[in-house]
Amino acid sequence: MDYKAAFRAAVDQIRDEGRYRVFADLKRHRGAFPHATWTRPDGGESDVVVWCSNDYLGQGQNPIVLDAMHSAIDQHGSGSGGTRNISGTNHHHVELEAELADLHGKDAALLFTSGYVSNEASLSVLYKILPGLIIFSDEQNHASMIAGIRNGGGRRHIFRHNDLAHLEELLAAAPADAPKLVAFESVYSMDGDIADVGATAALAKKYGAMTYLDEVHAVGMYGQRGGGVAERDNVMDQIDIIEGTLGKAFGVMGGYITGNSEVIDAIRLMASGFIFTTSLPPALTAGALASVKWLKLHPEVREMHQERAQTLKAMFRAAGLPVMENDSHIVPVMVGDPNHTKLISDLLLAEHGVYVQPINYPTVPRGTERLRFTPTPFHTDDMMRKLVGAMEQLWAHCNVARMGGHAA
Ligand code: PMP
C-alpha cells in the first residue's frame, strides 16, 4: 500500500474542489484589536483588519480579562495539574461554574475544555443516562452536536431547519412513553438566523421532551446580562440544558453546560469527554470568569455590537452586495462558488488589508459559499467604508452577481 499516495490523493480531491484550506498566519497585538499583523507566504508582514473573528466583542483584548489571566498565572502557575477528579479542580473552576449557572438561571454548570467537547460529551452520554432516548436534532446543528448524537449510538430524527411543523410531526410519530430530547441552536453561525426558542421549548414540552440548546453564538451577546437568546426571550427556565462556549464572545476558551443539579451531576459522573481529560488551566478559567462577570454588567457593549452589524449590513445592501438577511450580528455575503470565494478572500487579504476567511463546503452547503463578516464594537465606520469599497471592486473584478442583478 502506498500510504503517501493515498493521503496525497485525499488532499488533491479537496484541492480540486476548491476546498484546500490555507490558514492566515496572524499576530494580534494587545490594544490594537481588530488590527493584526499578517505574515505573508513570502515572509513579509502587513497590517490587516480582522473581519471574521468569533471574538465577537473584543473581550480577548479586554484589560480586565488579561489582568485576571496574568494574575492567575502569577498566583497559581500554568496547567491545572490533572483531570477535574484527580487534583485538577482549582477554585476558579468552582467559581466559574457558579457564575455560569447564575448567568443562565440554573442550579449548576459543568466546564469542558471546549464548546465542541461540551456538545459531544453531553449529547453522547444522554443515551446512557436515559435508555431508549430519541434525540430530535435540527438539520443545521453544529458538527459537535452531530458527533455527540451519532457517537451516543441511540435513535435520532433530524428535523428540517427551524421547521416546528416538521418537528411536531416527528415527535407525534414517536412512542409516547419513550424519553425524548430536542437539540437545537439559538443563533445559527453561518446564516445568522435565530430559532424561536420559546416555541420550540413549548412544543417539546407538549410531547414530554427535554430540550438542549446550543447558545454558542449568543452567550455574552444577547439578553440583558449576556445569557443568550433564551434570556432575551425570557424563556431560560423552559430549556433543560443550555450549552455555551467561553471561546467566542467571552474571548478565552472552554465550553460548558448548565441545567438542574440532577442533570449536571449525572453528566459530570458519566461523560467521558469530561472525566478523562486534563481540566482547563487557571489562567483560562480566571480570564473567562472575569469576562462573564464584566459582560453581565455591560449591556451597552451588546447594543453597540448590534448597531455595528446593522450598519455594515446597510452599507453592503446600499452597494448592491448580496448580504443574507437575518436578525443577528452575523453578516454573510453570498458568493455561491468556492473558487470565487477564495479568490475574493485572497485579494482582500493581499491587496486591501482585509482578512475574511472563505466559507466553503462542508461548513456550508455547496453553491452557498460565502464570506462571513463579524463586525465587533471595535470596527469603525471608516474600516467599514474601506471594506465595502474593496468588496465592490472585487465583485466587479470577479464578475459575481449583485443583488437583483446578474453576472454578465
Ligand atoms: N457549537 C456551535 C454552534 C459552534 O459554532 C461551535 C464552534 N464554531 C461550537 C459549538 C464549538 O465551540 P468551541 O469553539 O468552543 O469548541
Side-chain angles (χ1 to χ4, degrees):
M1 173 84 190
D2 184 348
Y3 287 108
K4 245 189 182 175
F7 281 91
R8 211 178 298 118
V11 171
D12 285 347
Q13 187 182 337
I14 289 173
R15 203 191 309 272
D16 289 348
E17 292 173 12
R19 298 195 288 119
Y20 187 77
R21 293 182 171 177
V22 179
F23 302 147
D25 177 350
L26 299 174
K27 281 185 212 133
R28 289 158 213 274
H29 307 284
R30 187 167 180 168
F33 186 80
H35 285 275
T37 301
W38 172 51
T39 303
R40 297 167 168 272
D42 66 8
E45 292 191 332
S46 34
D47 177 66
V48 295
V49 174
V50 178
W51 278 101
C52 56
S53 174
N54 279 343
D55 184 358
Y56 290 122
L57 301 175
Q59 284 291 92
Q61 299 291 336
N62 185 332
I64 299 279
V65 176
L66 303 190
D67 291 350
M69 295 182 78
H70 280 294
S71 106
I73 291 178
D74 291 344
Q75 287 176 37
H76 308 295
S78 58
S80 74
T83 64
R84 282 294 294 276
N85 191 39
I86 307 178
S87 93
T89 295
N90 314 130
H91 189 59
H92 287 128
H93 289 114
V94 178
E95 279 188 300
L96 179 55
E97 285 175 342
E99 189 69 29
L100 291 167
D102 174 74
L103 178 66
H104 294 287
K106 302 290 179 198
D107 298 345
L110 193 65
L111 287 168
F112 296 82
T113 42
S114 74
Y116 187 103
V117 176
S118 62
N119 276 334
E120 198 285 329
S122 304
L123 286 165
S124 62
V125 83
L126 289 176
Y127 286 108
K128 277 196 198 143
I129 299 169
L130 300 167
L133 174 68
I134 307 172
I135 296 187
F136 299 79
S137 174
D138 187 287
E139 70 180 346
Q140 284 190 18
N141 276 341
H142 187 255
S144 54
M145 297 170 84
I146 296 170
I149 293 166
R150 286 200 180 136
N151 294 347
R155 292 168 68 193
R156 58 182 186 265
H157 293 293
I158 313 300
F159 60 95
R160 287 192 292 274
H161 178 52
N162 277 343
D163 184 339
L164 295 188
H166 189 215
L167 173 60
E168 177 149 29
E169 235 174 75
L170 296 171
L171 284 165
D177 56 351
K180 302 179 190 72
L181 177 122
V182 176
F184 64 119
E185 300 181 21
S186 55
V187 177
Y188 284 83
S189 67
M190 291 299 144
D191 289 356
D193 56 334
I194 304 181
D196 186 337
V197 175
T200 311
L203 183 59
K205 194 167 264 176
K206 180 175 165 193
Y207 289 89
M210 290 180 72
T211 40
Y212 183 104
L213 178 63
D214 175 318
E215 291 248 43
V216 158
H217 294 277
V219 290
M221 293 172 280
Y222 294 80
Q224 180 57 28
R225 301 191 310 161
V229 172
E231 185 195 17
R232 182 195 73 178
D233 295 354
N234 211 12
V235 291
M236 280 197 298
D237 60 342
Q238 305 298 305
I239 301 292
D240 293 293
I241 302 175
I242 296 178
E243 182 268 348
T245 184
L246 303 168
K248 300 188 195 286
F250 294 125
V252 189
M253 187 186 175
Y256 64 90
I257 55 168
T258 62
N260 71 33
S261 46
E262 291 81 1
V263 166
I264 298 302
D265 215 27
I267 294 174
R268 181 178 73 85
L269 295 171
M270 293 174 70
S272 277
F274 173 79
I275 298 171
F276 298 106
T277 189
T278 300
S279 64
L280 289 167
L284 296 194
T285 40
L289 180 61
S291 188
V292 173
K293 281 188 165 169
W294 190 85
L295 277 178
K296 271 183 178 169
L297 300 175
H298 290 275
E300 76 284 0
V301 174
R302 284 181 275 285
E303 277 164 34
M304 174 81 164
H305 181 221
Q306 294 296 323
E307 183 280 324
R308 292 287 75 197
Q310 296 317 320
T311 300
L312 182 61
K313 285 178 191 171
M315 287 170 72
F316 276 141
R317 258 185 238 119
L321 294 165
V323 57
M324 181 184 265
E325 297 301 332
N326 62 45
D327 295 323
S328 75
H329 58 282
I330 292 165
V331 186
V333 177
M334 307 307 285
V335 182
D337 171 89
N339 294 311
H340 277 144
T341 314
K342 179 158 182 352
L343 179 63
I344 294 172
S345 158
D346 286 349
L347 292 171
L348 282 170
L349 185 59
E351 295 177 7
H352 297 274
V354 163
Y355 171 48
V356 62
Q357 192 69 28
I359 308 282
N360 288 339
Y361 176 83
T363 308
V364 294
R366 290 182 210 272
T368 72
E369 291 83 3
R370 68 196 67 180
L371 300 170
R372 173 184 180 272
F373 297 91
T374 50
T376 72
F378 296 90
H379 286 84
T380 62
D381 284 349
D382 189 45
M383 290 175 191
M384 291 189 186
R385 276 191 291 272
K386 285 190 182 131
L387 166 66
V388 175
M391 287 280 282
E392 282 185 286
Q393 268 184 41
L394 293 173
W395 232 250
H397 176 78
C398 293
N399 206 16
V400 178
R402 293 204 173 201
M403 286 201 295
H406 301 281

